[in-house]
Amino acid sequence: MDTLITQLRAQIIEHLNLDDIQPSDVGADDPLFGDDGLGLDSIDALEVVVLLDEHYGIKVDDPNEINESFASLRTLAEFIKQNQSINATAVTE
Amino acid sequence: MPPFYFLKCTNMAGYISTYCTVSRHQIWVNGKTVFEEEGTEKEVDEFLIAAHRHFKIKYPKFYKMDVLSRLAFIASEMLLSTDTLKNDSVNSQTSIILCNRSSTVVTDVKHQKNIQKEQGGIPSPATFVYTLPNIMIGEMSIRHRLTGESVLFISETFPVNAVVQYSNFMIDQGICNSCLCGWVEVSLNYYHAFLYVVKSEEKLVKRTIYPHTSETIQKLYLSNH
């Protein structure tokens, strides 16, 4: 799980053009969205959906999944583990 | 361009209190160089990021913007966030009139590449949202809480007469009491931003002001082009 979280952290920083953010700035349980967290917005949420499809073969069809599963790196990693498809390229422990 | 020649102002509408040019890896404010990067090897994005860091602008959303919005953001930041303007700041009754020639062609090309990727291109929402040139107005408005009228015109060249008449008309009619106007252009191998603030009355401050006329704007626009 920690390896997947590390990978997700790097992918989100690169994919969302968070050039001013260092990996050490994002804790596994830090909120990703909103003013109290990384400050991601709705467009970033869509980018994360694209990231899940491109890198893990996971398609998010239910918008309700976004609220809980995208809350932090850890919840996102757990979501990936639950939904990973056979052809996904994610790192497994 | 819409025929603004019929707009008749009853009063001398405004005075230009400050202007900024960003071009050729240099930034001028009121005719003075405030930042420059030697050499032109850097891409315009690198130059704008360097300017963002040089002026210690703490605005993380800058990094999510496309190159056109970054250029507009940096140019407007020079006018609307300096200490000298804190007591003379643009307020929510500010309108915005911007123009350019190439719309969002750089981002359009990037978006096109995304959707044409070999294995079924997936459009990037963060790229797609910037394929509308008005977004740069939105970014400035969010940053400086500007809620007045705004418009963006696409034109082959900077339509100085139209912009001067339109902004003077809005100020004269009380639609706004100040206006951020200018030209923000980015194409595949060229960029140039010229922004200025025109206000409804002369301020008693110790700095140069200019009458808001087509002749003055044309002169200022070309001065660092």
Side-chain angles (χ1 to χ4, degrees), chain A:
Chain A
M1 181 65 75
D2 287 344
T3 305
L4 179 56
I5 290 174
T6 300
Q7 180 173 280
L8 267 176
R9 182 183 287 117
Q11 287 173 330
I12 284 177
I13 289 175
E14 179 183 352
H15 207 80
L16 302 185
N17 294 323
L18 304 178
D19 291 354
D20 60 327
I21 299 294
Q22 299 299 319
S24 57
D25 296 334
V26 190
D29 298 301
D30 291 345
L32 296 177
F33 295 86
D35 296 335
D36 294 333
L38 200 57
L40 304 185
D41 57 23
S42 57
I43 296 294
D44 296 317
L46 293 176
E47 284 289 347
V48 173
V49 170
V50 171
L51 187 155
L52 291 178
D53 189 358
E54 275 190 328
H55 292 276
Y56 300 99
I58 296 171
K59 293 192 184 296
V60 179
D61 297 320
D62 183 2
N64 293 324
E65 289 179 318
I66 294 179
N67 289 336
E68 293 181 5
S69 303
F70 288 20
S72 68
L73 288 175
R74 191 180 304 281
T75 58
L76 196 56
E78 288 169 353
F79 178 78
I80 291 173
K81 286 286 189 184
Q82 292 170 7
N83 292 276
Q84 209 164 358
S85 68
I86 298 173
N87 294 325
T89 58
V91 174
T92 58
E93 291 192 349

Side-chain angles (χ1 to χ4, degrees), chain B residues 43-109:
Chain B
E43 297 292 330
V44 57
D45 252 340
E46 292 177 299
F47 164 70
L48 294 172
I49 290 173
H52 184 265
R53 290 178 178 152
H54 171 79
F55 290 105
K56 296 181 172 57
I57 303 170
K58 295 180 180 179
Y59 197 67
K61 197 172 187 295
F62 174 81
Y63 293 97
K64 300 181 188 178
M65 298 178 193
D66 77 328
V67 62
L68 182 66
S69 287
R70 285 180 179 175
L71 178 60
F73 179 90
I74 291 294
S76 62
E77 199 70 13
M78 298 297 105
L79 302 182
L80 305 179
S81 298
T82 58
D83 289 341
T84 55
L85 292 175
K86 273 186 179 175
N87 294 323
D88 193 24
S89 58
V90 177
N91 59 23
S92 63
Q93 292 303 313
T94 296
S95 294
I96 303 175
I97 304 173
L98 294 188
C99 313
N100 78 6
R101 177 177 58 242
S102 304
S103 186
T104 57
V105 67
V106 174
T107 304
D108 293 344
V109 169

Side-chain angles (χ1 to χ4, degrees), chain B residues 187-198:
Chain B
S187 60
L188 298 179
N189 53 11
Y190 172 79
Y191 73 95
H192 178 229
F194 169 71
L195 292 186
Y196 66 92
V197 176
V198 56

